[in-house]
Amino acid sequence: MKTIAILNHKGGTGKTTSAANIGAGLALQKKKTLLIDIDPQTNLTEGFGIKDVKSSIYNSIRDGADLPIVKINEYLDLVPSSLELVGAELELVSRMARESILKNLLKKLKAKYDYVVIDCPPALGMLTINALVPADTVLIPLEAEFYAYRGIDRMVAIISDVRAHYNENLTIGGVFITKCNPKRLLTEHITESVQKHFGDKLLSTKIRVNVALAEAPTQGKDIFRYAPTSNGAIDYENLVKEILTKI
């Protein structure tokens, strides 16, 4: 079982869209995949049409209960989030081994899945640490905008701290550009800057601006079920193939 954390502390980078469609793309490749929504905003959960859940990852973090698993299709499952997760940061402060709660919960599932994909919150708090401790690798979506780099050094520092103290095998597996418009000169400049900063960690696949990517979660679907011939589906299919090849 390989665990991938999708991380960017900045909102609006396509993090949740990427988590959903990377997970769905892996499932299309017949890889048994578990998506985990550890973001209190619950966008990944609602993006698959799941609302008013009776049990969420919050109950597992709080009580140690087994992770609640919702079946999406034959190869794809989801652990839903809930708004209650907002209070988890404060509740975790006094807990022993609070950084490793999710890691311990995932131990029971090692024989069941090929991949676990975790959608992290847009913050660098205890929930994000819980996602990084069991992760093998981190994927970072970067929007092709001027402010894409804001705070990126802090995010990389958090990953380094987790590697030093909790998970020596954690790596940055790749960085990829989202909301890309190839016709814009700014996109080329951002890509060049990312290349200088991350070197060969920059994946060659770029996710183009595509309205179908925004529409799909409103219908409770991933891009492959909603618009399988769209640019969004083509780009995420290529990204998944690159991930399987390089990571």
Side-chain angles (χ1 to χ4, degrees):
M1 188 175 80
K2 194 169 188 69
T3 302
I4 301 170
I6 312 293
L7 175 65
N8 195 320
H9 66 293
K10 184 178 178 292
T13 62
K15 177 180 59 64
T16 297
T17 298
S18 295
N21 292 309
I22 289 170
L26 288 168
L28 280 178
Q29 297 292 323
K30 296 187 177 180
K31 305 294 184 182
K32 187 64 177 175
T33 303
L34 178 65
L35 282 168
I36 296 181
D37 188 355
I38 199 170
D39 184 350
Q41 296 180 85
T42 73
N43 290 336
L44 182 63
T45 300
E46 294 181 2
F48 279 96
I50 300 167
K51 299 179 181 179
D52 302 320
V53 295
K54 293 181 179 179
S55 182
S56 74
I57 192 169
Y58 171 74
N59 302 93
S60 300
I61 289 173
R62 183 190 63 186
D63 304 325
D66 289 346
L67 289 167
I69 295 173
V70 177
K71 191 173 187 63
I72 304 299
N73 59 48
E74 181 182 0
Y75 288 96
L76 185 63
D77 293 339
L78 170 72
V79 174
S81 180
S82 67
L83 293 175
E84 295 172 301
L85 202 58
V86 171
E89 294 279 356
L90 289 176
E91 294 175 18
L92 286 171
V93 169
S94 60
R95 292 276 295 274
M96 293 290 290
R98 56 186 179 271
E99 299 88 359
S100 302
I101 293 172
L102 182 58
K103 178 181 179 180
N104 293 329
L105 291 168
L106 284 172
K107 285 180 180 178
K108 302 176 184 179
L109 303 176
K110 279 191 173 182
K112 189 174 180 181
Y113 294 99
D114 299 309
Y115 287 90
V116 174
V117 179
I118 307 174
D119 184 25
C120 299
L124 299 176
M126 192 53 62
L127 292 175
T128 295
I129 300 298
N130 262 269
L132 294 178
V133 169
D136 298 294
T137 192
V138 179
L139 291 177
I140 302 174
L142 282 180
E143 189 178 3
E145 294 291 345
F146 179 74
Y147 293 109
Y149 273 123
R150 178 167 288 181
I152 195 79
D153 289 339
R154 175 60 178 153
M155 184 167 62
V156 172
I158 289 288
I159 294 170
S160 297
D161 286 346
V162 171
R163 185 188 300 119
H165 297 289
Y166 306 108
N167 180 2
E168 63 181 13
N169 298 316
L170 181 65
T171 64
I172 296 177
V175 180
F176 58 97
I177 304 295
T178 62
K179 300 184 180 181
C180 173
N181 183 344
K183 296 180 181 179
R184 294 175 64 191
L185 187 61
L186 177 61
T187 298
E188 184 178 339
H189 290 329
I190 292 294
T191 302
E192 289 174 356
S193 298
V194 174
Q195 182 78 61
K196 290 177 183 176
H197 194 93
F198 288 101
D200 61 1
K201 296 294 184 184
L202 176 62
L203 302 180
S204 60
T205 305
K206 298 182 179 66
I207 308 301
R208 288 168 285 182
V209 174
N210 181 233
V211 67
L213 288 171
E215 293 171 346
T218 68
Q219 304 302 311
K221 296 179 179 180
D222 59 73
I223 192 62
F224 304 105
R225 288 186 296 153
Y226 178 73
T229 61
S230 66
N231 285 340
I234 292 168
D235 292 346
Y236 274 107
E237 181 182 8
N238 289 335
L239 180 63
V240 166
K241 288 178 179 177
E242 188 172 6
I243 289 168
L244 288 172
T245 301
K246 293 183 177 179
I247 300 176

